[in-house]
Amino acid sequence: MRTVACFGDSLIYGFPFGPRYSWLAQAEALTGHKFLNYGVCGDCCDDILERLRRMYLPTQTTHILFWGGANDIIQMRPLKFILEDLQKTLVYCQSSKLELGLVLPLLTAESGLNEYLLPLREAVSSNFAGKASLFDLQPAIGLGKKQLQAAYLDGVHPTAATYAVLGTYAAPLLDTWLSNYNCK
């Protein structure tokens, strides 16, 4: 069993249902690994990074899972700043001997927001491939307009059923990531 500290925004937290009903809780139940939920609603990548730096992590923590970026886009933070925050997160994890996993931003039911999320997804993929483990949970939801509309309560926050689907989809991906880890 591995311990993963999970940092992010409302999508890590499991808003509006809370951590007990988040996709991480589902993944934990399916994998047997411990996913510590440090999600804070409304956080941008710089907030998440700062919390990670300040947080005292349990000594058994071997991995960091980071999911952010949508709030940055909503607050009109430039892509350059988001990528710089992710790079700083990578450097922090490397210096702390923690494995980093990045969850790619999900497309939403808001097409205007997706115009900015798509370039972010592509930039994270191209900038961090081979440097961090990347997790794309979009296939669990789909890309069609009807699929996206059905997946969200308010256009951006998943339904309880969608959180369960995300956790079920993510569980084998996360289990493989954690199982391939060799203590350093």
Side-chain angles (χ1 to χ4, degrees):
M1 179 180 86
R2 300 278 180 214
T3 299
V4 183
C6 305
F7 288 85
D9 55 24
S10 57
L11 298 181
I12 286 286
Y13 177 77
F15 180 85
F17 308 104
R20 289 184 44 207
Y21 302 97
S22 71
W23 68 280
L24 293 172
Q26 177 76 9
E28 183 173 288
L30 293 171
T31 65
H33 298 292
K34 183 68 180 164
F35 294 96
L36 304 172
N37 190 320
Y38 298 119
V40 174
C41 298
D43 268 6
C44 292
C45 288
D46 57 343
D47 302 314
I48 299 165
L49 171 59
E50 189 57 35
R51 191 169 60 260
L52 169 60
R53 287 177 170 162
R54 288 190 329 258
M55 181 75 62
Y56 171 78
L57 297 174
T59 56
Q60 68 271 26
T61 303
T62 56
H63 293 69
I64 299 294
L65 188 66
F66 188 107
W67 192 357
N71 288 322
D72 299 77
I73 295 297
I74 291 168
Q75 293 184 24
M76 303 178 79
R77 286 189 77 224
L79 180 61
K80 174 185 172 185
F81 294 162
I82 301 168
L83 295 174
E84 287 173 359
D85 292 335
L86 294 176
Q87 180 61 37
K88 290 174 186 174
T89 301
L90 176 63
V91 169
Y92 174 83
C93 288
Q94 290 171 334
S95 69
S96 300
K97 301 205 181 336
L98 296 164
E99 296 292 315
L100 177 62
L102 299 172
V103 181
L104 298 179
L106 288 177
L107 297 181
T108 69
E110 304 293 330
S111 59
L113 183 56
N114 291 342
E115 291 177 30
Y116 298 96
L117 289 171
L118 274 169
L120 176 59
R121 286 172 54 84
E122 292 168 7
V124 171
S125 294
S126 65
N127 282 284
F128 294 95
K131 298 176 184 174
S133 295
L134 301 177
F135 299 98
D136 185 1
L137 306 184
Q138 193 67 50
I141 294 174
L143 294 169
K145 185 176 181 177
K146 287 184 180 180
Q147 293 169 311
L148 292 173
Q149 288 174 339
Y152 297 103
L153 290 169
D154 58 5
V156 295
H157 293 103
T159 65
T162 301
Y163 277 125
V165 167
L166 290 170
T168 300
Y169 182 85
L173 302 174
L174 295 170
D175 191 45
T176 299
W177 178 49
L178 299 170
S179 297
N180 290 335
Y181 176 74
N182 294 318
C183 295
K184 295 182 178 181

